[in-house]
Amino acid sequence: MSFYAPPAPFVAAPLTPGPAVTPIAFVHAIVQAYTQRNQNPAAALALAQIAPTALTDPAARITAAQMERISGAAMLELDDEALGWFSRRLPWGSYGMLARASLSAPTLDVALKRWCRHHGLLTDDITLNLTVAGEVATLTITEHRDLGALREFCLVSVLCNIHGLACWLVDSRIPLQSAQFPFAAPAHHDVYGVLFSGPTAFDTAPAGIRFDARYLALPLRRDEPALQQMLKRALPLTVLQYRRDRLLVQRVRQALVSHPTLTHSAEALAALLHVSPRTLHRQLKDEGASLQALKDDVRKNRALELLLRTARPIKQVAEAAGFQNEKSFIRAFRGWTGESPAEFRRAGAPLV
């Protein structure tokens, strides 16, 4: 990710090289916050090494480190962690207070609901809401006033904040299934693919993100010392692409069961899960699993069930179990059981 408004005290650090993908439009929003308070952003821009000429180029981009630097400096100078989004300032420490209030929650579900509820105590310009429908959790923002020129910056920031916090609280990557925003696609719409995994829809209200609801049941894995450390530099700790996905094995199993014909290859499965094939293999390895072992287990169980409980032809069983052809299915089945599918069915062997 390239942008996240730090919800915590900013500590200046040496700027490090990185890809410049954050749109200059977000810098303009910070400059607008200074204008609203009749203050000069020159010092913050200089601290972030953002040249004045960049502000006149609509296509200009800055790095994540530059965005961290200018965001933190602006929050300090304006004493507003919301950077002008709301009708009243969010004084220094506001988002740190919200994080601390959520820290004692037993699960991510409770923690996020607390965050949403307590955010409403800071401002009534927007309302955050967490809902669950089936297997999908949705975090939405309801706007109660015109956010004006800072609308995009506000909605993007708030959703990045809460998503980043959720990942940090459970120490897990939480891939997003989709994101949506109630405004037209901006010229820099390509950056949304970096900020939010999964497809992003525009001109769709309300602003929100969706993810697998099973993450909500995960226990929190952070304590007060970890929070103190995170608050020193919130940006790199909350937006890093977590190697660990504590639900990945379950998500892979579900995809293999639900979409046997769409998961023949690692590339197809990875696309279904909105990750790269390399990331898929690496994260499974981190969890002590392998894609081939998971495939074999899911396919074996499905094949055994169909052979014993249905009269489907072997070819149909092979397809339903996720094999591209009958020959490869028979070969794999012999490896699992020492018998052909037909021999197994005739023997009426019990499920294993």
Side-chain angles (χ1 to χ4, degrees):
M1 291 173 120
S2 63
F3 168 70
Y4 174 82
F10 168 79
V11 177
L15 287 175
T16 55
V21 296
T22 303
I24 201 68
F26 291 166
V27 178
H28 280 291
I30 294 177
V31 171
Q32 177 65 25
Y34 275 91
T35 301
Q36 291 176 180
R37 302 282 164 75
N38 295 315
Q39 292 182 238
N40 191 339
L45 289 166
L47 186 66
Q49 298 178 17
I50 300 174
T53 53
L55 295 175
T56 62
D57 180 4
R61 303 288 176 102
I62 64 171
T63 68
Q66 288 176 292
M67 193 64 196
E68 178 190 5
R69 182 68 66 82
I70 191 172
S71 296
M75 289 176 185
L76 278 171
E77 287 193 307
L78 301 175
D79 191 22
D80 183 6
E81 291 189 340
L83 292 175
W85 309 329
F86 306 130
S87 53
R88 66 185 185 191
R89 290 184 297 182
L90 268 57
W92 195 255
S94 295
Y95 279 118
M97 178 184 66
L98 291 188
R100 181 166 284 105
S102 297
L103 195 62
S104 61
T107 64
L108 182 61
D109 180 51
V110 176
L112 291 182
K113 286 177 178 176
R114 283 185 188 176
W115 178 279
C116 292
R117 183 171 66 253
H118 294 155
H119 196 280
L121 300 177
L122 299 179
T123 178
D124 55 10
D125 292 340
I126 64 172
T127 298
L128 302 176
N129 193 38
L130 173 67
T131 58
V132 176
E135 299 177 347
V136 179
T138 304
L139 272 164
T140 56
I141 301 175
T142 301
E143 302 167 63
H144 300 297
R145 78 169 180 89
D146 183 1
L147 298 174
L150 299 184
R151 188 188 192 197
E152 180 194 6
F153 189 47
C154 172
L155 298 180
V156 168
S157 300
V158 170
L159 289 177
C160 281
N161 286 355
I162 196 167
H163 179 227
L165 178 79
C167 293
W168 179 81
L169 285 171
V170 296
D171 189 22
S172 174
R173 181 177 179 272
I174 303 177
L176 298 180
Q177 296 176 356
S178 66
Q180 63 183 47
F181 293 91
F183 45 76
H188 49 266
H189 62 85
D190 60 304
V191 78
Y192 282 76
V194 180
L195 295 172
F196 304 98
S197 58
T200 298
F202 296 98
D203 283 324
T204 306
I209 53 177
R210 294 181 178 84
F211 56 93
D212 191 322
R214 289 176 294 180
Y215 287 96
L216 296 176
L218 292 178
L220 271 58
R221 296 176 178 269
R222 304 295 187 176
D223 55 15
E224 180 63 27
L227 177 63
Q228 290 294 338
Q229 185 65 30
M230 186 272 279
L231 292 180
K232 292 179 182 179
R233 287 195 69 203
L235 175 75
L237 286 175
T238 52
V239 305
L240 60 83
Q241 293 296 313
Y242 284 84
R243 288 178 65 90
R244 178 183 294 276
D245 181 344
R246 296 186 183 276
L247 285 185
L248 183 62
V249 171
Q250 295 180 43
R251 294 174 61 229
V252 168
R253 282 185 179 277
Q254 182 180 23
L256 292 170
V257 170
S258 303
H259 307 285
T261 62
L262 301 179
T263 52
H264 291 305
S265 67
E267 291 74 17
L269 177 60
L272 200 62
L273 298 176
H274 305 299
V275 298
S276 70
R278 182 178 178 182
T279 297
L280 175 64
H281 286 298
R282 186 190 70 230
Q283 291 185 358
L284 284 175
K285 183 178 180 181
D286 290 343
E287 293 299 300
S290 74
L291 180 55
Q292 190 58 53
L294 290 172
K295 275 187 175 182
D296 287 345
D297 188 53
V298 169
R299 289 175 171 180
K300 176 184 175 182
N301 290 335
R302 179 61 170 159
L304 294 176
E305 179 183 14
L306 292 174
L307 288 170
L308 291 178
R309 298 183 181 179
T310 76
R312 289 190 191 184
I314 301 301
K315 184 176 181 179
Q316 291 184 14
V317 171
E319 182 179 357
F323 286 86
Q324 292 182 293
N325 58 69
E326 185 177 351
K327 185 177 179 180
S328 61
F329 168 57
I330 293 173
R331 183 169 57 249
F333 197 87
R334 282 191 180 278
W336 298 332
T337 67
E339 300 177 288
S340 71
E343 291 169 340
F344 178 85
R345 174 176 273 170
R346 284 195 298 269
L351 288 173
V352 295

